[in-house]
Amino acid sequence: MKRVRAMALIVLGALVLAGCTFVSPDASPVRIPVLKDPYGLFNQTIPGTNNARVRFITQPVYIVDATGHLAPLSRIVPSPPALATVIEQLLLGPTAIETSAGYTSALPTNMVLVSATVRGQVGYFNFATPLSTLTKAQQLLAVGQLVLTAYDVGATTGIIIKVAGVPQRLLLPDGAHATLVSQKNFESLLN
């Protein structure tokens, strides 16, 4: 009986507190005049900087479609696109809408990107864990996602994946292994 009474009091207290607020609701929105904006929110540049601006572009990332092939999807990234920024978008995986349409990602959700750069048209990735823990089919799709996405950011020669600074031998669609893999190796995975 004491438990029921205590639970009822807790629920009653939660309902009373849920009805309280420090801000009174307003039925209609209030327009803020541009001249009275003390924070510079209407400025063309980023407040508190030396007239800095951020421009965004759409960049393709490759996700696994419902048929098990790779397909490009658009992501919004700052311009000019940096390899690390685009790969971070890829690691986020498909959106809820894309997932409902059958898109997935072969990259593990807990994969940690340490660094990603393009030097001499080669993309260099440094991950915290190797892709070798995935099944062979998942490895192929994961490397394909990385290669094709990096190709569109400027890694036109190919990519090298390192784990703790050690280059990894990556599985190719023909069953061979290589340290430097290119977009041409994974074209067969495209839809």
Side-chain angles (χ1 to χ4, degrees):
M1 185 66 177
K2 287 184 179 184
R3 286 185 183 173
V4 173
R5 189 178 314 153
M7 184 58 85
L9 286 174
I10 289 173
V11 169
L12 181 64
L15 289 173
V16 168
L17 290 176
C20 297
T21 179
F22 293 115
V23 179
S24 62
D26 195 352
S28 62
V30 177
R31 184 170 176 81
I32 300 172
V34 175
L35 297 174
K36 292 188 178 184
D37 175 25
Y39 303 108
L41 299 175
F42 293 107
N43 292 352
Q44 295 289 327
T45 59
I46 301 170
T49 64
N50 219 3
N51 295 326
R53 292 176 180 239
V54 177
R55 299 191 193 284
F56 295 95
I57 62 168
T58 57
Q59 185 70 32
V61 297
Y62 287 81
I63 304 286
V64 181
D65 66 11
T67 64
H69 292 89
L70 299 178
L73 296 174
S74 294
R75 294 293 184 265
I76 298 173
V77 296
S79 176
L83 183 59
T85 306
V86 176
I87 296 302
E88 286 169 358
Q89 289 296 312
L90 176 64
L91 291 176
L92 291 176
T95 64
I97 293 172
E98 293 164 352
T99 302
S100 68
Y103 289 96
T104 60
S105 179
L107 295 163
T109 56
N110 61 350
M111 189 166 203
V112 177
L113 176 67
V114 178
S115 65
T117 57
V118 177
R119 291 190 309 266
Q121 298 176 333
V122 175
Y124 293 91
F125 295 96
N126 197 1
F127 289 109
T129 55
L131 293 172
S132 60
T133 58
L134 303 172
T135 65
K136 289 186 179 192
Q138 292 293 94
Q139 281 181 47
L140 286 174
L141 290 170
V143 174
Q145 285 182 263
L146 293 168
V147 168
L148 296 170
T149 301
Y151 180 83
D152 289 332
V153 183
T156 54
T157 302
I159 66 167
I160 295 174
I161 296 178
K162 297 179 181 182
V163 175
V166 178
Q168 302 294 299
R169 294 187 42 80
L170 304 171
L171 182 63
L172 298 174
D174 64 3
H177 288 80
T179 304
L180 174 67
V181 295
S182 72
Q183 171 254 356
K184 288 183 173 119
N185 298 127
F186 290 87
E187 284 178 340
S188 63
L189 299 180
L190 290 171
N191 194 1

